[in-house]
Amino acid sequence: MPLHIKASDQAGIQGNAIFDPVGTNEYIKAAFIHDGWQSNIPIPAPYRFLGTEVDFAKAGIIIEIQFSNYPFLLNNTLRSELFFKAKTEFVGYPTNLVILVTKALNVSCF
């Protein structure tokens, strides 16, 4: 997968190359759809208080991708665990595996 970067508009680092979550998400979505995954699958009505859709699903597997809006990461994690434990159906299959994808923070060790 290519590294998607963009120019920063943040004060103090304007113009510097930074990670582009939108470009990365678009690339991943196109690749998953190409491989037969369904995207933007509605969450069943009893669980809609947790959001409107999951990112990808196929044959009992759901995938949530969260690169930029970290307040939603906890929600995605908890609801994915709920879907797994409740064997919630997406695209005709009960949830048997959950994959969460996020980026790691660059950390320096001393």
Side-chain angles (χ1 to χ4, degrees):
M1 178 172 90
L3 174 62
H4 293 269
I5 58 173
K6 65 179 183 177
S8 175
D9 60 1
Q10 182 179 340
I13 61 169
Q14 289 175 324
N16 289 351
I18 60 170
F19 177 71
D20 178 12
V22 174
T24 302
N25 280 336
E26 289 172 359
Y27 182 91
I28 290 170
K29 184 174 184 176
F32 273 112
I33 290 171
H34 180 266
D35 287 342
W37 289 81
Q38 292 187 34
S39 67
N40 306 103
I41 301 92
I43 291 175
Y47 302 115
R48 290 260 167 80
F49 66 95
L50 295 169
T52 58
E53 56 192 31
V54 295
D55 292 335
F56 301 98
K58 180 178 177 181
I61 303 167
I62 62 172
I63 299 176
E64 290 282 5
I65 298 176
Q66 190 59 252
F67 288 127
S68 61
N69 203 338
Y70 286 103
F72 292 116
L73 181 59
L74 179 58
N75 180 68
N76 286 357
T77 303
L78 293 175
R79 76 181 189 187
S80 295
E81 182 176 359
L82 173 66
F83 298 151
F84 175 77
K85 287 186 175 186
K87 299 298 181 199
T88 305
E89 281 195 21
F90 292 97
V91 300
Y93 293 89
T95 301
N96 290 312
L97 179 66
V98 173
I99 300 171
L100 299 170
V101 179
T102 188
K103 70 180 179 86
L105 178 64
N106 292 332
V107 178
S108 297
C109 297
F110 298 95

